[in-house]
Amino acid sequence: MECENMDKKNIYITRRIPEEAINLLQEHFHVEINPQDRVLTKEEMLQNVKNKDAVLCVINDIIDKDVLEAAGVKCKIFANYGVGYNNIDIDAATQNNIIITNTPGVLDDATADLAWTLLMTVSRRIVAADKFTRNGAFQSWDPMMFLGRDITGKTLGLVGAGRIGSNFAKKAKAFDMKILYTGLRQNLKIEEELGAIYVDKETLLREADFVSLHVPLLPSTIHYIGDKEFSMMKKTAVIVNTSRGPVIDEKALVKALKQGKIWGAGLDVYENEPEIEPELLNMYNVVLVPHIASATLETRTNMGLIAARNIIKVLNGEKPDTCVNSEVLK
Ligand code: DGY
């Protein structure tokens, strides 16, 4: 995967990503890719970023002060392959004059689609019903078999109405849902276009039939949903998380499900990813997927292209399209 021209600038890519993005970078630079199909150890990361002009990293690489300093003064940019960048010490990057970029916009549909998939899969008990059918247990139609919950006409509670949250809300209109939302900021567009109503957290939790989380991971959103919040929710409610795992207190979730405080959960992300609270693995009212919200070929290709273009622009002395620490550009 390396090209020969030593005059070219050096790029390091920490994981294999779709080819189009790699090809684009190879047209301009000497590109080295982690050959292992796994997350690098800290030692490997420190070694591999050394003397690179740019690094394309992924959301489960820990890019801390040590890594940024190891990259050294030559390094101009770490382009994160993902919209969330809680894996990167932004202050340390800024202090080291390293530009950090992310990939907003291109994954809104894919992520909102997966949140809907989880919502519907949990509500209609699809995973358990599929297993039952495959196991040959379907002997006759049964009026009481796999009773789920209606979606159409119900109340949706959206936590966070940014790009992904509002995309998710737009799709709720097809199900004639009432949309409540809460979060740091009001979103007048979804109020005007979708009739969404801004409410406080408690009202949302008490009234929503479905709660979907779309906030970034910040000190204020860690354990945003815990024991207290589960107690406020309807016993028939379903919660869906495609944001970041620590937004839900996972032990509190296990308790809430066991005690019937809520009806079900659909999770793409976990508090201590890739570890999962063991009891969740045996619960029938939970659907679990391995952080795949943006995992479509089209979306992952577009994420790679944004990251690659940011690197090209920065190494050509231009401003990147999606910088998250713009102080460095001044
Ligand atoms: C992101 O982009 O932050 C997602 O979690 C990865 O798909």
Side-chain angles (χ1 to χ4, degrees):
M1 296 254 187
E2 298 185 23
C3 73
E4 297 304 314
N5 187 343
M6 298 313 285
D7 297 337
K8 287 185 174 177
K9 291 196 165 146
N10 293 303
I11 314 297
Y12 187 68
I13 305 184
T14 65
R15 287 299 286 276
R16 199 166 68 84
I17 58 168
E19 250 176 35
E20 273 183 56
I22 297 173
N23 293 343
L24 179 60
L25 285 169
Q26 281 176 331
E27 283 171 25
H28 301 261
F29 310 115
H30 175 197
V31 177
E32 195 185 320
I33 306 172
N34 167 16
Q36 325 261 15
D37 199 15
R38 60 164 173 79
V39 183
L40 295 169
T41 63
K42 177 136 184 189
E43 279 314 305
E44 291 168 331
M45 181 69 85
L46 292 173
Q47 196 53 39
N48 291 330
V49 299
K50 232 182 240 166
N51 292 322
K52 299 297 185 301
D53 297 280
V55 176
L56 193 157
C57 57
V58 301
I59 58 161
N60 50 356
D61 291 324
I62 308 293
I63 308 299
D64 59 12
K65 192 164 173 278
D66 300 339
V67 173
L68 294 157
E69 283 174 1
V73 286
K74 227 176 123 195
C75 186
K76 298 281 174 288
I77 169 172
F78 271 63
N80 205 37
Y81 184 76
V83 67
Y85 49 88
N86 51 290
N87 56 316
I88 303 181
D89 183 338
I90 300 296
D91 290 341
T94 305
Q95 274 156 25
N96 284 280
N97 263 320
I98 296 178
I99 294 170
I100 305 297
T101 60
N102 65 344
T103 62
V106 288
L107 44 70
D108 301 349
D109 275 309
T111 306
D113 291 353
L114 189 91
W116 273 104
T117 307
L118 287 171
L119 187 157
M120 291 196 246
T121 308
V122 175
S123 305
R124 299 305 302 268
R125 306 179 62 182
I126 296 301
V127 174
D130 175 89
K131 201 163 164 195
F132 175 91
T133 311
R134 285 171 201 267
N135 287 346
F138 179 30
Q139 299 299 320
S140 72
W141 183 83
D142 177 339
M144 297 303 285
M145 187 164 63
F146 288 111
L147 299 185
R149 307 227 72 102
D150 275 341
I151 296 168
T152 299
K154 293 291 181 84
T155 299
L156 180 67
L158 187 69
V159 177
R163 278 191 217 89
I164 298 172
S166 48
N167 184 307
F168 178 83
K170 186 175 77 187
K171 291 167 177 160
K173 282 321 271 181
F175 292 98
D176 289 330
M177 294 176 102
K178 174 177 175 184
I179 303 167
L180 303 180
Y181 78 102
T182 196
L184 284 180
R185 272 180 295 277
Q186 246 179 290
N187 179 332
L188 297 179
K189 191 157 182 262
I190 65 165
E191 293 188 15
E192 278 155 29
E193 290 177 5
L194 309 174
I197 304 165
Y198 186 75
V199 293
D200 59 37
K201 180 178 177 183
E202 182 165 346
T203 306
L204 180 132
L205 293 172
R206 292 198 187 284
E207 293 185 13
D209 297 297
F210 301 95
V211 174
S212 191
L213 305 175
H214 300 280
V215 284
L217 186 63
L218 302 168
S220 60
T221 58
I222 293 176
H223 286 190
Y224 184 87
I225 304 286
D227 280 327
K228 187 170 118 219
E229 287 74 19
F230 285 122
S231 302
M232 292 174 183
M233 290 171 68
K234 294 184 179 178
K235 287 191 165 34
T236 51
V238 168
I239 189 162
V240 170
N241 191 10
T242 53
S243 62
R244 283 294 182 262
V247 175
I248 295 185
D249 174 346
E250 214 166 279
K251 287 198 190 313
L253 172 65
V254 168
K255 244 195 288 166
L257 289 162
K258 270 184 20 195
Q259 295 171 355
K261 284 187 182 163
I262 61 168
W263 197 75
L267 305 177
D268 180 44
V269 287
Y270 304 90
E271 187 165 356
N272 299 303
E273 220 167 286
E275 263 134 59
I276 300 179
E277 271 301 309
E279 284 183 87
L280 287 175
L281 303 177
N282 297 317
M283 288 180 170
Y284 74 91
N285 48 350
V286 173
V287 172
L288 309 170
V289 293
H291 204 149
I292 55 167
S294 65
T296 68
L297 187 56
E298 298 91 329
T299 296
R300 289 278 165 92
T301 299
N302 287 329
M303 288 163 65
L305 289 173
I306 292 192
R309 286 188 196 116
N310 280 331
I311 290 176
I312 295 168
K313 284 196 167 175
V314 167
L315 295 188
N316 278 336
E318 294 165 41
K319 284 192 178 172
D321 295 323
T322 60
C323 183
V324 302
N325 61 342
S326 42
E327 309 92 279
V328 179
L329 302 176
K330 285 175 195 150

